[in-house]
Amino acid sequence: MDRRDFVFATTTAALAAAHVSRLPSLVSRIPRVGLQLYTVRNLMQKDMAGTLSAVAKIGYQEVEFAGFFDKTPADIRAMLETNGLAAPSGHVPFEAIDTGWDQVIEAAHTLGHRYVCVAWIDAKYRPDLDGWKRVADKLNHAAEACSKSNLTFAFHNHSYEFVPLAGQLPYDVLLAATDPALVKLEMDLFWLTFGGQDPLAYFAKYPGRFPLVHVKDMVAKPRPDIAADSVMRDVGKGSIDWKRIFAQSAQAGIKHYFVEHDSPGDALASVKASYEYLRALEF
């Protein structure tokens, strides 16, 4: 090869390599893996500071609260900052909408929350579809107050929302009766799957409405009446197709992914296993 051909060949190769390096990646990963602290609630009760430290050492950067364990929001904020953790979201009782929503909002600001999430509706409030519509009215009211305080309100599902009432799914009734601009959803991917639904169908029907998700795995139910705890697994040790779900993260509007396990044997071992799986997951 003479000098002219050599220069042409090497220059062409370099330009091609540079072009390839500028192409957008076709592989996505979860940018920050978070943890719903309900998973380590027994440890939090005994030693919140030590538990948050252990969670951070695993690699978690975000946490979601489900109770303060007799600590003040200011004290908790200091623990978060010590461990380099952020708490973009927290769970609060449905009843607080009527009994102390101003305090909820104040605590959320102290903790650095961006989302305030109601995660459970007692059966006495939802005996029928009219009850669910009354629940929706309360959620709209709470969400409006959050919006005025630069917070976003969200509702977290379990599986009871997918038990038909009068030929309709309560979850569908709730989503239709709440303001999509104000009431966002935290989809618990285990509970929705356990309830026999497909997350992608809801992503397609309500695009952009799911900024938060709970990530926990399950194995196939051997019979319809099986208890949830008996099929719940650490992430990556069940049968949920995470690549299929998270490939639609943009459509869903997902911004925060929180690992959770309701009844882990060894809580820290469980959250470590789930973290490692999700940190390496490509979709």
Side-chain angles (χ1 to χ4, degrees):
M1 179 184 296
D2 63 25
R3 182 184 181 86
R4 179 170 176 266
D5 290 340
F6 174 79
V7 171
F8 176 79
T10 55
T11 301
T12 302
L15 290 173
H19 174 70
V20 169
S21 69
R22 291 195 300 269
L23 290 176
S25 173
L26 300 179
V27 174
S28 296
R29 293 187 183 218
I30 294 173
R32 295 173 307 281
V33 180
L35 176 66
Q36 165 51 252
L37 292 169
Y38 182 76
T39 311
V40 292
R41 60 193 178 279
N42 294 331
L43 298 174
M44 291 280 285
Q45 182 71 54
K46 297 174 184 176
D47 180 6
M48 181 182 287
T51 303
L52 291 174
S53 175
V55 165
K57 287 176 181 176
I58 288 171
Y60 285 98
Q61 296 175 278
E62 297 185 340
V63 294
E64 181 179 52
F65 278 86
F68 296 158
F69 303 96
D70 299 321
K71 301 290 192 298
T72 68
D75 287 343
I76 295 173
R77 179 66 180 263
M79 295 180 203
L80 292 172
E81 291 177 352
T82 295
N83 290 286
L85 292 168
S89 177
H91 285 190
V92 299
F94 174 69
E95 291 79 5
I97 295 173
D98 290 330
T99 61
W101 203 242
D102 288 343
Q103 290 89 341
V104 165
I105 288 173
E106 182 180 358
H109 282 302
T110 300
L111 289 163
H113 291 346
R114 294 189 294 280
Y115 298 88
V116 174
C117 185
V118 164
W120 182 264
I121 309 295
D122 193 272
K124 66 185 178 184
Y125 300 117
R126 48 178 175 85
D128 49 29
L129 292 182
D130 285 339
W132 276 104
K133 291 174 183 177
R134 290 191 294 271
V135 166
D137 287 341
K138 285 190 177 293
L139 299 189
N140 281 327
H141 175 72
E144 184 177 4
C146 282
S147 180
K148 290 177 179 178
S149 297
N150 296 315
L151 295 166
T152 299
F153 180 86
F155 174 74
H156 168 285
N157 66 279
H158 285 80
S159 61
Y160 58 77
E161 299 91 340
F162 305 104
V163 178
L165 281 175
Q168 297 185 67
L169 296 183
Y171 195 65
D172 295 345
V173 172
L174 186 73
L175 268 60
T178 48
D179 185 341
L182 295 176
V183 178
K184 302 302 181 181
L185 291 312
E186 178 174 59
M187 182 183 284
D188 189 303
L189 295 160
F190 168 89
W191 284 116
L192 188 134
T193 303
F194 186 83
Q197 306 302 310
D198 182 357
L200 269 59
Y202 280 97
F203 293 168
K205 188 173 182 180
Y206 301 99
R209 204 171 173 184
F210 302 90
L212 314 166
V213 290
H214 275 193
V215 188
K216 50 193 175 192
D217 220 331
M218 66 175 284
V219 294
K221 293 192 287 185
R223 61 179 192 275
D225 62 342
I226 196 74
D229 284 352
S230 67
V231 296
M232 192 177 296
R233 297 291 185 273
D234 297 339
V235 185
K237 296 183 179 179
S239 58
I240 293 180
D241 189 344
W242 299 112
K243 289 188 177 185
R244 172 179 176 269
I245 293 172
F246 293 149
Q248 303 305 318
S249 290
Q251 181 187 48
I254 302 173
K255 297 179 181 178
H256 301 280
Y257 304 72
F258 296 111
V259 165
E260 187 180 34
H261 193 309
D262 292 12
S263 303
D266 182 329
L268 288 178
S270 172
V271 301
K272 185 174 188 293
S274 293
Y275 174 85
E276 290 177 347
Y277 176 83
L278 288 175
R279 200 72 189 92
L281 182 68
E282 296 181 345
F283 50 89

